[in-house]
Amino acid sequence: MSPLQTSKKIRDGFDSVSENVKNIDFQKHADKFKEGFDQASDNISETVKKIDTNKIKSNSKSFFGSLGGVVSSLFKVFSKFIGIVLVISCVAGIIALTVGLIIGTFFDTDLSFFTSEFVRTYDRTDGLFWLLPVLIFIVSVIPIILFIYLGLKILVKNLKPMGSAAKYSLIGLWVLAVIGIAIVGTKQGLSYKEQASDIKTQQLTNIKTNDTLVVSMDYNDTFAERFIRDYGLQHTNDDNGNDVVFSQGIRLIVKSTKDSVAKLRVEKSARGSNINKAKNRAKNISYNYTLVDNNLILDNYFTVTNNEISRDQEVELTLYLPEGTVLYAEESTYNYHRNNRHYYNDILDNGMEEHFLLVKRAKLECLDCDTEETDETEINSNNQSNTNNQNQSTLVVNNDGIVAKTENLDIIVNDEGAKASTKNVKVTINEEDGINITNHKNNK
């Protein structure tokens, strides 16, 4: 077949298809499709209308109603539990508060929260020793009563409301009690305002230069049986059943002196609202010690009168030992001379107990310690003067400072400042006094 014939045949085919498309009735087919869609839509609408919506609503309401009922029941049970806990705990709190304050006020038995010392800090010289515990009780118990009422309100539906008179009465009483505690607290604070001391110094004539002194602490086997330093007053009974108020607030300080005889300075201190009250309170402190041959026995406690209150009572013992004396401190003194070395100028450090210590100027030298235990360097040199006399010069360098000594000059340099002295002149340099020069020759 020729190409021309083939092209003609294809063209005839296209013409035939175009003629067939033109003969299709699109409007007729569109109308039929629309009619079928409308019929399907009507069938769906009828089916939806037949659904029982009231039944669905009823089932949904029943489910959420049951769930709400369960939650409400749980909440009611939990609220009842809270109410029971509030009532029981508050009643127990009132009982504990009442018993604690009564025992702490009228008896000398210490409880977990209230102690006799806590209640008796109130100044009872006016006879109203019960005022502080009563005020504490009122301030504490009124909020507890309100919590009890809240618990009962949760437990009992028809509980009558608290009257306005009762509410305002409780609030007013609580406010007055708070004001009372503020006044008492201010008064107690002012009772610590002033501090005074009663000081007595006694020479220990048995102890002189080159002697040996043994220092120990004595205890009471009925009370104060432990070798501890404990401030504050404690109440107890002695062997005869008598009331005793005591404290173990004892501080021991050891210093060197150029005097030839040892001495003991006993400083009894206390506080008060004014100097006179503090002074009288310090004088009421009773402290004892004994010196038997070369044994100094110090009590590890002091006592006060039975009606005394705690106002920072303390006893400070300062033992002055001549240079050249040998000190032996027993282990029982350990806790009582635990002092700040630079503040108290105490030359007896912890760890020096049970050793023989030679007293030198502002320091102690262990006579029976290993050489490894000392951390100081001492340099001695012999110098010959113009008169051909042999003189000893000493230089000591350690953690406390520098000490240099010759026949005519002594120099001490430490944290407190510098001191230099000769036979006639003494120079002191420190932060408090600045430079102070004293001429001993002119003063004589």
Side-chain angles (χ1 to χ4, degrees), residues 354-401:
E354 305 294 331
H355 289 291
F356 288 95
L357 309 169
L358 177 63
V359 179
K360 291 189 174 183
R361 185 180 178 86
K363 74 186 187 72
L364 294 173
E365 179 183 316
C366 185
L367 300 178
D368 57 349
C369 298
D370 297 334
T371 56
E372 296 179 354
E373 296 181 12
T374 60
D375 59 352
E376 65 179 26
T377 302
E378 184 170 329
I379 304 173
N380 295 326
S381 63
N382 295 328
N383 297 324
Q384 190 167 359
S385 65
N386 294 332
T387 59
N388 294 325
N389 292 328
Q390 189 87 11
N391 298 323
Q392 182 76 16
S393 297
T394 302
L395 174 64
V396 178
V397 181
N398 55 27
N399 294 331
D400 299 324

Side-chain angles (χ1 to χ4, degrees), residues 243-290:
D243 293 336
V244 176
V245 182
F246 75 97
S247 173
Q248 290 186 271
I250 308 293
R251 184 182 299 277
L252 174 62
I253 302 171
V254 179
K255 296 183 178 181
S256 64
T257 179
K258 289 186 176 182
D259 296 337
S260 59
V261 179
K263 60 183 178 182
L264 180 65
R265 180 179 183 269
V266 180
E267 179 180 357
K268 299 179 290 186
S269 61
R271 289 186 175 274
S273 57
N274 54 58
I275 294 295
N276 290 332
K277 286 186 176 181
K279 188 77 172 180
N280 292 332
R281 189 166 285 133
K283 289 182 177 180
N284 287 334
I285 296 175
S286 177
Y287 180 76
N288 298 313
Y289 64 90
T290 57

Side-chain angles (χ1 to χ4, degrees), residues 39-49:
Q39 185 178 0
S41 177
D42 293 339
N43 292 333
I44 293 173
S45 299
E46 289 296 328
T47 304
V48 171
K49 290 179 180 179

Side-chain angles (χ1 to χ4, degrees), residues 63-289:
F63 171 76
F64 287 106
S66 301
L67 182 60
V70 172
V71 173
S72 177
S73 299
L74 291 176
F75 180 77
K76 288 180 180 179
V77 172
F78 182 73
S79 63
K80 297 295 183 183
F81 175 76
I82 294 296
I84 294 173
V85 171
L86 276 176
V87 173
I88 294 177
S89 60
C90 290
V91 171
I94 292 178
I95 295 174
L97 181 66
T98 305
V99 173
L101 288 175
I102 291 176
I103 295 179
T105 305
F106 298 100
F107 301 94
D108 292 329
T109 302
D110 293 342
L111 299 179
S112 299
F113 300 101
F114 300 100
T115 64
S116 57
E117 181 63 28
F118 168 74
V119 178
R120 289 171 185 260
T121 53
Y122 177 69
D123 191 351
R124 298 171 291 163
T125 55
D126 54 4
L128 300 177
F129 68 94
W130 46 267
L131 180 59
L132 178 61
V134 168
L135 293 175
I136 294 175
F137 179 80
I138 293 174
V139 170
S140 303
V141 79
I142 289 179
I144 296 177
I145 290 175
L146 296 179
F147 277 111
I148 291 177
Y149 178 78
L150 177 61
L152 293 176
K153 192 74 175 176
I154 295 174
L155 294 174
V156 182
K157 292 183 179 180
N158 299 326
L159 183 66
K160 294 182 179 180
M162 185 180 295
S164 299
K167 289 181 181 178
Y168 294 128
S169 297
L170 290 176
I171 293 174
L173 184 61
W174 185 82
V175 171
L176 291 176
V178 170
I179 295 174
I181 289 181
I183 295 174
V184 172
T186 302
K187 182 179 178 181
Q188 300 311 297
L190 292 176
S191 67
Y192 286 86
K193 180 181 178 182
E194 302 293 343
Q195 184 177 20
S197 300
D198 179 57
I199 302 174
K200 292 181 180 180
T201 303
Q202 182 177 351
Q203 286 190 338
L204 307 178
T205 55
N206 293 1
I207 308 301
K208 300 179 180 179
T209 304
N210 299 326
D211 289 340
T212 299
L213 177 64
V214 179
V215 180
S216 62
M217 306 298 295
D218 193 17
Y219 68 97
N220 188 293
D221 55 1
T222 304
F223 56 90
E225 67 277 2
R226 299 174 59 193
F227 292 109
I228 59 173
R229 183 164 61 193
D230 186 17
Y231 297 98
L233 300 182
Q234 302 181 51
H235 299 255
T236 187
N237 299 101
D238 59 14
D239 295 334
N240 300 322
N242 300 319
D243 293 336
V244 176
V245 182
F246 75 97
S247 173
Q248 290 186 271
I250 308 293
R251 184 182 299 277
L252 174 62
I253 302 171
V254 179
K255 296 183 178 181
S256 64
T257 179
K258 289 186 176 182
D259 296 337
S260 59
V261 179
K263 60 183 178 182
L264 180 65
R265 180 179 183 269
V266 180
E267 179 180 357
K268 299 179 290 186
S269 61
R271 289 186 175 274
S273 57
N274 54 58
I275 294 295
N276 290 332
K277 286 186 176 181
K279 188 77 172 180
N280 292 332
R281 189 166 285 133
K283 289 182 177 180
N284 287 334
I285 296 175
S286 177
Y287 180 76
N288 298 313
Y289 64 90

Side-chain angles (χ1 to χ4, degrees), residues 415-419 428-436:
D415 293 341
E416 297 181 356
K419 297 179 181 179
T428 303
I429 303 174
N430 54 41
E431 294 181 356
E432 296 181 357
D433 303 327
I435 300 176
N436 186 10

